[in-house]
Amino acid sequence: MKTGTLIRTVAAALVLIGAPASADAHLINTSLGDFYGGVLHPLSGPQDVVPWFALAILAAIQGPRNARWLLFVFPIALVGGALLSVVAPALPISPAWSLAVIVVTGLAVAAAAKLPFPVFLSLVTLIALLHGYYNGQAMTQDTDHFLFICGIAAVGYVFVTLITALAISFRQGGGEWRLIALRASGSWVAAVGIIMVGLQLRTSSPM
């Protein structure tokens, strides 16, 4: 590239970078509708994605028959949690519960634990209710609650369905190393959860 062209390209890039007058940490107006707001909110941080990932892997370890219940129960419980945040927005639920669930789920995956079916369903329901509640708290008076909650449920369903299907397909490929790889992902999830618990405790403790 010639020097003159390079200078003009860099100058144009600098102008484009400097053009925005302001930036917001939260979307003031997505122009995409509250449905997409509900879809994007759980994906905006690891506190939702990490435990959902671990839960889907754990479902795959339980086998296809039990894993199907995850696809049915998880989005329904997400909706229940989000609705609960509307009718009871100030429940004294510590964020430490959500983080502790990440650790427990990660350890269960790392151990390749075959949970009794009621225990597995209870864990699925608990995680979905907590995450539905926390994400529902992001709604404001101007938010279309119906669309936002539908967005949360839709992204939760698609996420766990894809990860569970991929994990089951991966495990059925043959070879003990595949289960070991899935278990290793659980150990990483547990480690991330422990780090997040530590950060939470450090933030909440008086300086």
Side-chain angles (χ1 to χ4, degrees), residues 88-95 97 133-134:
L91 289 179
I93 302 176
S94 171
W97 279 101
Y133 187 83
Y134 289 134

Side-chain angles (χ1 to χ4, degrees), residues 5-198:
T5 303
L6 178 62
I7 292 175
R8 286 193 292 272
T9 302
V10 171
L14 291 175
V15 169
L16 290 175
I17 292 173
S22 63
D24 298 292
H26 292 80
L27 298 179
I28 303 300
N29 182 3
T30 61
S31 299
L32 295 175
D34 290 320
F35 176 82
Y36 294 100
V39 169
L40 294 175
H41 194 269
L43 304 179
S44 60
Q47 65 271 16
D48 290 301
V49 173
V50 172
W52 291 8
F53 175 83
L55 191 61
I57 300 297
L58 183 62
I61 291 175
Q62 307 310 303
R65 184 175 182 179
N66 288 348
R68 293 190 187 98
W69 282 95
L70 169 70
L71 315 184
F72 176 71
V73 173
F74 190 74
I76 293 177
L78 278 176
V79 171
L83 291 175
L84 184 61
S85 72
V86 176
V87 298
L91 289 179
I93 302 176
S94 171
W97 279 101
S98 181
L99 300 179
V101 168
I102 296 177
V103 178
V104 170
T105 309
L107 290 176
V109 172
K114 283 278 192 178
L115 301 177
F117 183 62
V119 175
F120 172 66
L121 271 191
S122 298
L123 182 62
V124 170
T125 304
L126 175 63
I127 292 177
L129 284 174
L130 285 172
H131 288 249
Y133 187 83
Y134 289 134
N135 282 282
Q137 286 182 318
M139 293 185 291
T140 66
Q141 292 182 344
D142 298 329
T143 303
D144 187 318
H145 292 180
F146 176 76
L147 290 178
F148 194 90
I149 292 173
C150 285
I152 295 173
V155 70
Y157 174 78
V158 171
F159 188 95
V160 298
T161 299
L162 290 177
I163 299 299
T164 303
L166 288 173
I168 291 176
S169 177
F170 177 75
R171 191 182 175 192
Q172 290 177 341
E176 189 64 24
W177 67 271
R178 294 175 183 270
L179 179 59
I180 295 174
L182 293 178
R183 294 178 64 182
S185 69
S187 65
W188 280 100
V189 169
V192 170
I194 292 172
I195 292 173
M196 295 173 72
V197 169

